[in-house]
Amino acid sequence: ANGLALTGGRIAYAAGRSQARFQWFSKTHTRTKTPVRSLVAQCVITCFVVVILEDPITLLFYTGLAYWTFAGLMAASVLVMRRREPQRKRPFRVWGYPVVPLLFIAASVGMAASVVIEDTRKDTHNAIATVLILTVGAILYGLQVFLFRKRE
């Protein structure tokens, strides 16, 4: 849960650095250089969700499927980028490439599947809610790209 909370804050920070509409989240603390604004926003959202849910552990089931899906996609992107741009300079090397990324992808698929299986076993519909939220997010992202892309 701690890792997910810190990751969410960093995602908002990255969005603020690349998207003018979210620039407020990109400001960092002058001394610690941490994205305090995005971390506080993440904290507020998390506290709100914990209060409205009957069982706070449910939050992990809502985020687990998305987390493991995107973790697997991140590892897959290493494979894709190495194939598409083999000459590009890399700031670090993946130990055991390509075996380690492939094992991580398999583990991510397994973890995502375990979330879906547990959700089905408990009949809680968290996985469906996660897929709906991701779908709405993808649609909104597509609209943003279409409506606000730079005209050349």
Side-chain angles (χ1 to χ4, degrees):
N2 182 43
L4 291 173
L6 292 175
T7 300
R10 303 277 179 195
I11 291 170
Y13 166 74
R17 290 191 56 150
S18 65
Q19 300 284 327
R21 288 171 291 290
F22 300 110
Q23 188 174 10
W24 186 83
F25 291 113
S26 70
K27 303 296 184 213
T28 57
H29 189 276
T30 54
R31 185 175 49 86
T32 63
K33 304 295 185 217
T34 54
V36 176
R37 289 179 179 180
S38 61
L39 291 171
V40 168
Q42 179 76 16
C43 176
V44 169
I45 292 168
T46 303
C47 288
F48 175 74
V49 171
V50 167
V51 168
I52 65 169
L53 291 176
E54 291 178 20
D55 181 13
I57 200 71
T58 305
L59 183 59
L60 290 177
F61 287 112
Y62 275 116
T63 59
L65 179 59
Y67 178 82
W68 287 110
T69 299
F70 285 111
L73 289 171
M74 179 269 314
S77 72
V78 171
L79 299 172
V80 170
M81 293 300 293
R82 292 279 170 104
R83 181 170 272 278
R84 282 188 184 169
E85 301 177 20
Q87 73 288 352
R88 186 177 195 165
K89 186 175 182 213
R90 312 284 180 204
F92 65 92
R93 304 285 301 167
V94 176
W95 179 84
Y97 179 84
V99 174
V100 171
L102 289 171
L103 287 173
F104 186 83
I105 292 167
S108 296
V109 168
M111 293 298 287
S114 73
V115 170
V116 172
I117 291 167
E118 183 69 13
D119 185 50
T120 303
R121 189 179 70 76
K122 288 185 173 182
D123 196 32
T124 55
H125 309 293
N126 295 339
I128 293 170
T130 299
V131 170
L132 288 174
I133 290 167
L134 291 174
T135 302
V136 168
I139 291 168
L140 291 175
Y141 176 77
L143 282 172
Q144 172 192 316
V145 169
F146 178 74
L147 295 173
F148 298 108
R149 69 177 183 255
K150 293 182 181 178
R151 312 261 187 229
E152 295 183 34

